[in-house]
Amino acid sequence: MIKNDLFLRALRGESVQRPPVWMMRQAGRYLPEFMALRDKYDFFTRCRTPELAAEITVQPIRIVKPDAAILFSDILVIPQAMNIEVEMKPGVGPWLPNPIRSARDVDQVVVPEINEELGYVMDAIKLTKEILNDEVPLIGFAGSPWTILCYAVEGKGSKSFDAAKGFCFSQPEAAHALLQKITDTTILYLKEKVKNGVNAVQVFDSWGGMLSPSDYQEFSWKYINQIIDALAPLTEVIVFGKGCWFALNEMSKSKASALGVDWTCSPENARYLTGGNITLQGNFDPSRLLSPIPTIKKMVHEMIDAFGKDKYIVNLGHGILPNIPVDHARAFIEAVKEYK
């Protein structure tokens, strides 16, 4: 049994004394302990070495003490396993030297044997669970099929992902074939994570907000919903679509246990759009962690008041920024634990 199960209880919609709290990207770049490992090992070495991934996962549990851990990994391990080359270039970020631009390219993409290609992730889960010793739940995650397609087609990060959108609109058959392969792989991957001990999963649709509402339904949501339907009987599923407030109503009708909300959507609107029946997660602006600590604490309490303490998980509206002082991150967590 998990000793601190607040997070899991909130996902199940149970009434709690206070809402649970964790931060997207909490295992990462704002922590000096993380930077020490970053300086010694390159990015994918950290992802592929279970001992390093486990150590990075538990660092924030020791240092800022959130109510849940999220496994250190990356959404781009999935395309790597699917025969799509992915590098992490310093100063550039994700770099895919051979982006997908045609149906022939899509034919080269495989649905892999998960344990052969991604067994190192499962080893990291087992090791992390040992270290955590059931203190807090462990979250596994994957990128949404649309978000993975964005990188696979664009070949790198982008402000608008025009090449990815253009591929979908000019070659829809090839795009849907690629999205389905990513979806099938993601389902297999997340099922394996659950089998190896994660207590919940989150799907990150980081670039969903790039699409119009109707294109979102066609190229993103219907694939995310396949993942939810496959995983919901096995574990709690959280879906976070950045910039996707327009889809919250549709999302709330799914079998997801919780929906993430970014800071562009007010708590009141998020509750209204979702009918007030589903657990929501979010939505503190990560940049607001640069505010003075008393301001952070006041704003966190106001945010909880606005969402309500039940069916709510306190989080940021996107990943924590690298320039956030550790004591400000800690203050964010403490503000939730002090909430009455």
Side-chain angles (χ1 to χ4, degrees):
M1 293 295 289
I2 306 289
K3 297 179 186 88
N4 173 357
D5 65 349
L6 261 185
F7 170 73
L8 298 175
R9 285 165 55 207
L11 281 177
R12 293 192 293 261
E14 295 173 17
S15 188
V16 289
Q17 288 290 100
R18 65 160 176 90
V21 56
W22 67 281
M23 297 182 291
M24 289 185 277
R25 284 200 170 161
Q26 67 187 16
R29 54 210 180 157
Y30 69 105
L31 291 171
E33 292 83 350
F34 173 87
M35 288 185 266
L37 291 174
R38 183 194 63 191
D39 294 344
K40 280 171 85 169
Y41 306 97
D42 73 63
F43 183 78
F44 283 116
T45 298
R46 280 173 271 143
C47 290
R48 292 186 190 125
T49 309
E51 292 77 11
L52 293 175
E55 167 60 24
I56 292 166
T57 302
V58 299
Q59 280 176 351
I61 306 305
R62 297 182 193 128
I63 299 161
V64 296
K65 300 183 167 53
D67 294 310
I70 183 163
L71 187 75
F72 175 76
S73 186
D74 194 79
I75 64 170
L76 296 178
V77 300
I78 288 230
Q80 279 182 332
M82 297 178 71
N83 198 32
I84 301 170
E85 190 180 348
V86 184
E87 301 167 17
M88 199 61 77
K89 278 196 171 181
V92 176
W95 178 260
L96 292 78
N98 305 299
I100 289 170
R101 295 291 163 84
S102 68
R104 187 178 292 175
D105 294 339
V106 174
D107 289 341
Q108 303 305 306
V109 176
V110 301
V111 174
E113 210 299 316
I114 297 298
N115 282 312
E116 272 177 33
E117 297 296 328
L118 293 162
Y120 61 86
V121 178
M122 309 313 148
D123 291 341
I125 290 169
K126 287 180 234 172
L127 197 50
T128 303
K129 290 287 287 183
E130 273 180 43
I131 300 168
L132 285 174
N133 193 29
D134 289 333
E135 287 298 327
V136 294
L138 178 63
I139 305 164
F141 70 90
S144 74
W146 159 253
T147 288
I148 301 297
L149 177 144
C150 280
Y151 288 106
V153 175
E154 201 82 27
K156 59 186 188 301
S158 167
K159 285 193 168 72
S160 56
F161 287 101
D162 293 332
K165 289 168 77 171
F167 175 69
C168 289
F169 303 154
S170 63
Q171 302 179 69
E173 278 188 28
H176 284 300
L178 178 57
L179 287 163
Q180 192 59 56
K181 283 184 175 184
I182 299 167
T183 302
D184 294 345
T185 302
T186 303
I187 288 170
L188 292 169
Y189 176 60
L190 290 176
K191 280 185 171 180
E192 207 57 40
K193 282 187 161 183
V194 172
K195 202 184 291 181
N196 281 277
V198 301
N199 304 103
V201 297
Q202 176 157 317
V203 178
F204 284 87
D205 197 9
S206 304
W207 305 122
M210 298 285 172
L211 293 166
S212 72
S214 59
D215 289 331
Y216 187 76
Q217 292 299 320
E218 182 178 353
F219 293 103
S220 188
W221 177 249
K222 75 178 187 182
Y223 295 101
I224 292 174
N225 209 20
Q226 284 184 47
I227 296 167
I228 298 168
D229 284 346
L231 269 296
L234 309 174
T235 193
E236 313 295 340
V237 182
I238 307 166
V239 178
F240 171 63
K242 185 167 185 291
C244 300
W245 62 269
F246 55 81
L248 282 173
N249 182 257
E250 182 72 17
M251 289 173 165
S252 71
K253 297 170 187 165
S254 73
K255 293 176 184 169
S257 294
L259 302 176
V261 184
D262 70 29
W263 64 91
T264 63
C265 183
S266 71
E268 294 81 3
N269 271 348
R271 286 288 184 210
Y272 171 74
L273 290 166
T274 55
N277 297 319
I278 192 167
T279 296
L280 296 178
Q281 176 177 278
N283 68 337
F284 203 76
D285 183 342
S287 299
R288 267 294 182 180
L289 290 179
L290 291 166
S291 298
I293 284 175
T295 304
I296 293 170
K297 292 199 169 188
K298 178 173 177 284
M299 290 182 72
V300 167
H301 290 167
E302 288 169 353
M303 181 173 73
I304 299 170
D305 286 341
F307 275 104
K309 73 170 175 67
D310 287 335
K311 293 185 180 171
Y312 178 47
I313 297 162
V314 180
N315 206 317
L316 305 175
H318 202 222
I320 188 168
L321 301 168
N323 60 333
I324 300 301
V326 176
D327 58 340
H328 286 224
R330 195 180 285 117
F332 176 77
I333 304 281
E334 284 172 355
V336 184
K337 294 185 176 182
E338 291 161 4
Y339 181 82
K340 289 183 174 61

